[in-house]
């Protein structure tokens, strides 16, 4: 095979066949050379068609959807808030941080002990709120004392139990009263609001379809979102007012408002 080494790198396969035959003194088969040339041409043609197909697929314009309209609909259900969140707090001041921390801890421990007596899952849940110490600065910019604050949260569906428990806690004062909707109450009415929204969406789609002179429509895309709208803030008794004129066993009067569970359905339809 020494004579094959002198061939240039770019020589075709059919030339190499002839050269190999000469080197080995084999009879040249013209049919073999013809078949190899035909295979080479077919491979080149196939590659060309493949490249042309890719280029066509990349440059071919995509037809824009026609007779498509965007719309949305809303379903709303009003429900009474069934969750009371009552926040109690106390603040302490002293010359050093250790004293403030000790006073806050004592006040919070006593409040927790009283609250846990009436705790009941779902009806009255007890948890601690923020607990923090902060330096107090004088006019000269230097620390001249410390102050701190501790909070306790009573939360649940039994309003009477919560307010009665809060009235028995003497080391913390009522700081804030708020209402919200429990997960169970929300889930109960969310399906109703969703049904309203879907029916309104379908009715609106039919109305638009007929209005534009079409006989039917098909749904292209849709999204469903829900949220809760609470009533505006209402003034509530703060710490000093809550204790004023009340005995230690007097429960703070509370009254829940109503919330709106809203489900929005939006999307597009194609008229036909």
């Amino acid at each position: 095979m020494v004579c094959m080494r002198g061939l240039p790198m770019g020589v075709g396969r059919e030339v190499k066949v002839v050269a190999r035959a000469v080197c080995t003194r084999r009879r040249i088969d013209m049919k073999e050379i013809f078949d190899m040339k035909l295979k080479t041409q077919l491979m080149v043609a196939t590659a060309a068609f493949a490249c042309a197909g890719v280029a066509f697929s990349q440059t071919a314009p995509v037809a824009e959807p026609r007779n498509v309209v965007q719309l949305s609909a809303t379903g709303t259900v009003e429900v009474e808030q069934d969750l009371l969140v009552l926040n109690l707090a106390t603040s302490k001041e002293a010359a050093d941080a250790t004293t403030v921390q000790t006073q806050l801890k004592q006040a919070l421990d006593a409040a927790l002990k009283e609250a846990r007596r009436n705790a009941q899952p779902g009806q009255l849940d007890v948890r601690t709120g923020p607990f923090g110490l902060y330096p107090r600065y004088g006019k000269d910019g230097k620390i001249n004392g410390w102050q701190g604050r501790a909070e306790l949260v009573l939360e649940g569906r039994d309003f009477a139990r919560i307010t009665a428990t809060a009235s028995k806690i003497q080391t913390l004062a009522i700081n804030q009263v708020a209402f919200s909707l429990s997960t169970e109450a929300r889930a109960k009415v969310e399906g109703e609001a969703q049904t309203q929204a879907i029916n309104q969406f379908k009715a609106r789609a039919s109305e638009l379809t007929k209005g534009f002179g079409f006989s039917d429509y098909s749904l292209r895309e849709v999204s469903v979102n829900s949220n809760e709208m609470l009533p505006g803030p209402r003034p509530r008794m703060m710490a000093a007012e809550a204790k004023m004129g009340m005995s230690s066993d007097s429960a703070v009067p509370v009254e829940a408002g109503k919330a709106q569970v809203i489900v929005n359905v939006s999307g597009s339809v194609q008229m036909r």
Side-chain angles (χ1 to χ4, degrees):
M1 300 299 292
V2 177
C3 58
M4 293 290 291
R5 298 177 182 175
L7 293 177
M9 293 296 294
V11 173
R13 295 179 61 187
E14 59 273 14
V15 176
K16 291 182 179 180
V17 171
V18 175
R20 188 180 299 110
V22 172
C23 292
T24 57
R25 293 182 174 82
R26 182 172 63 86
R27 185 174 61 86
I28 300 174
D29 189 348
M30 297 305 294
K31 183 177 183 304
E32 181 181 359
I33 296 176
F34 178 77
D35 289 344
M36 294 185 66
K37 292 180 67 175
L38 181 61
K39 289 180 180 179
T40 302
Q41 292 174 355
L42 288 175
M43 291 175 62
V44 172
T46 302
F49 277 119
C51 293
V54 172
F56 179 79
S57 64
Q58 292 177 345
T59 59
V62 179
E64 292 290 335
R66 303 177 60 186
N67 306 323
V68 175
V69 62
Q70 303 279 342
L71 66 155
S72 63
T74 301
T76 304
V77 177
E78 194 173 65
V79 59
E80 187 171 349
Q81 295 169 307
D82 64 336
L83 196 64
L84 171 62
V85 182
L86 198 151
N87 182 287
L88 299 96
T90 186
S91 298
K92 301 294 182 181
E93 292 186 8
D96 60 279
T98 303
T99 302
V100 175
Q101 180 173 316
T102 301
Q103 292 176 350
L104 290 175
K105 183 178 181 302
Q106 291 174 349
L108 189 58
D109 285 343
L112 280 170
K113 183 178 180 179
E114 182 64 43
R116 286 168 178 163
R117 292 176 181 173
N118 296 317
Q120 185 176 347
Q123 304 303 312
L124 170 55
D125 295 314
V126 180
R127 58 183 171 87
T128 55
F131 186 109
L133 302 177
Y134 317 95
R136 185 179 59 203
Y137 295 92
K139 294 181 179 180
D140 57 358
K142 297 181 179 180
I143 298 176
N144 62 3
W146 287 82
Q147 56 188 0
R149 181 180 177 85
E151 296 184 12
L152 180 68
V153 180
L154 307 181
E155 180 179 24
R157 292 191 292 268
D158 192 337
F159 293 4
R161 180 189 293 265
I162 294 173
T163 55
T165 301
S167 66
K168 296 177 181 179
I169 296 176
Q170 300 301 307
T171 55
L172 303 180
I174 296 175
N175 176 62
Q176 185 179 22
V177 177
F179 299 90
S180 63
L181 202 59
S182 66
T183 304
E184 295 80 6
R186 178 187 176 89
K188 185 180 296 184
V189 299
E190 193 170 59
E192 182 182 346
Q194 179 174 289
T195 300
Q196 288 183 13
I198 292 174
N199 290 338
Q200 290 183 20
F201 184 93
K202 293 164 64 177
R204 180 65 173 159
S206 297
E207 180 183 345
L208 290 172
T209 299
K210 293 179 181 179
F212 282 108
F214 295 90
S215 59
D216 199 4
Y217 70 88
S218 60
L219 186 64
R220 295 190 74 247
E221 58 182 19
V222 65
S223 64
V224 180
N225 300 290
S226 62
N227 58 75
E228 178 183 340
M229 182 176 294
L230 301 176
R234 298 190 299 172
R236 284 298 178 191
M237 292 181 295
M238 301 305 287
E241 297 173 319
K243 296 296 183 181
M244 189 179 299
M246 293 185 181
S247 66
S248 60
D249 293 331
S250 297
V252 178
V254 295
E255 182 182 354
K258 291 187 177 181
Q260 290 182 334
V261 176
I262 303 172
V263 175
N264 181 267
V265 176
S266 60
S268 63
V269 297
Q270 186 165 20
M271 301 174 292
R272 60 177 187 272

